[in-house]
């Protein structure tokens, strides 16, 4: 792990941490974390080496990998598990094909699963899905990370250029472009509305 900062790096040996300030950057492999301040927590290994296991980033956080860019106000990165916990409005994950935004997000880069809450929105092309909470699953697509499926819970709204669909729960399959809504479902197109308990919406047609 390489850490750099414009204003220098403070080493607190008793607390076993480094504090980097001013356009601070931490890089490990192909993952880079940038922020106003980075705090790196380390522990001693059996052979007395330093092993950094957690990074806390604060202020204008930007995390980049070959497959996505993530921005937030605060981020905690657990190096071993590859899990980011992000806070601040808006938390934003952009993979080049779609954008996920929310107030709080927990993103597992190894499992490629994101749990997001607080004004959660997924936008892809001209389609948008909003809900109280999302569990978003991603896949590899020609070297880029693409959205595979989104499970939406609470006040689900799917918006396309021609209609609006609402329900209590939803599942959007990005591969088939079919969204399934359940619970107090309402489909609206112009002045027309259909109500029911369950609906399947083909986002292509």
């Amino acid at each position: 792990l390489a850490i750099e900062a414009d204003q220098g790096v403070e080493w607190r040996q008793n607390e076993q941490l480094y504090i980097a300030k001013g356009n601070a950057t931490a890089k490990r492999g192909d993952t880079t974390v940038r922020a106003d301040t980075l705090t790196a927590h380390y522990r001693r290994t059996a052979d007395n080496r330093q092993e950094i296991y957690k990074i806390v980033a604060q202020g204008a956080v930007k995390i980049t990998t070959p497959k996505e860019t993530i921005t937030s106000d605060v981020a905690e990165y657990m190096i071993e598990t590859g899990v980011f916990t992000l806070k601040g409005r808006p938390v934003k994950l952009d993979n080049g094909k779609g954008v996920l935004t929310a107030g709080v997000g927990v993103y597992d880069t190894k499992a490629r699963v994101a749990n997001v809450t607080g004004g959660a929105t997924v936008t892809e092309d001209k389609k948008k899905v909003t809900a109280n909470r999302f569990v978003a699953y991603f896949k590899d697509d020609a070297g880029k990370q693409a959205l595979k499926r989104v499970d939406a819970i609470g006040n689900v709204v799917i918006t396309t250029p021609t209609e609006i669909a609402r329900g209590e729960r939803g599942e959007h399959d990005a591969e088939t472009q079919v969204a399934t809504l359940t619970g107090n479902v309402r489909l609206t197109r112009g002045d027309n509305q259909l109500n029911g308990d369950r609906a399947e919406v083909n986002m292509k047609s």
Side-chain angles (χ1 to χ4, degrees):
L1 181 73
I3 300 175
E4 298 177 354
D6 290 347
Q7 297 175 20
V9 179
E10 178 184 356
W11 181 16
R12 298 184 181 179
Q13 297 185 53
N14 293 337
E15 300 173 62
Q16 293 191 323
L17 55 84
Y18 293 95
I19 302 174
K21 296 182 179 180
N23 192 30
T25 301
K27 187 171 183 178
R28 182 175 186 266
D30 54 12
T31 298
T32 301
V33 180
R34 289 185 175 87
D36 294 337
T37 303
L38 288 174
T39 303
H41 299 254
Y42 69 87
R43 57 195 168 207
R44 293 287 180 180
T45 62
D47 57 357
N48 204 33
R49 291 185 300 106
Q50 291 183 11
E51 180 183 66
I52 294 176
Y53 64 92
K54 179 173 74 172
I55 296 175
V56 178
Q58 294 177 295
V61 178
K62 184 177 182 180
I63 302 162
T64 56
T65 77
K67 297 176 181 178
E68 64 265 312
T69 300
I70 306 166
T71 56
S72 68
D73 291 330
V74 179
E76 179 183 281
Y77 177 42
M78 302 302 293
I79 292 174
E80 290 178 336
T81 60
V83 173
F84 288 100
T85 301
L86 307 114
K87 299 178 182 179
R89 189 171 294 275
V91 174
K92 181 179 178 182
L93 188 154
D94 188 339
N95 60 31
K97 290 191 173 183
V99 177
L100 186 153
T101 59
V104 178
V106 178
Y107 180 48
D108 187 329
T109 60
K110 293 183 178 180
R112 297 179 182 175
V113 177
N115 274 274
V116 295
T117 57
T121 302
V122 172
T123 304
E124 190 170 290
D125 296 328
K126 295 181 180 180
K127 300 177 289 291
K128 183 170 71 173
V129 183
T130 63
N132 292 345
R133 175 173 173 258
F134 280 145
V135 182
Y137 302 86
F138 299 89
K139 64 175 182 176
D140 185 76
D141 182 10
K144 286 193 173 184
Q145 189 143 276
L147 186 65
K148 181 179 180 181
R149 190 181 89 243
V150 176
D151 294 335
I153 299 100
N155 298 314
V156 182
V157 180
I158 299 172
T159 304
T160 75
T162 56
E163 59 266 315
I164 299 174
R166 296 178 174 88
E168 292 304 316
R169 295 181 65 93
E171 179 182 307
H172 175 230
D173 189 324
E175 295 176 330
T176 63
Q177 291 293 300
V178 173
T180 303
L181 290 172
T182 56
N184 192 28
V185 176
R186 290 166 290 159
L187 304 179
T188 304
R189 176 180 288 181
D191 295 330
N192 302 316
Q193 181 165 304
L194 293 172
N195 299 332
D197 294 324
R198 182 177 184 276
E200 287 188 2
V201 181
N202 188 311
M203 306 286 272
K204 290 182 180 179
S205 62

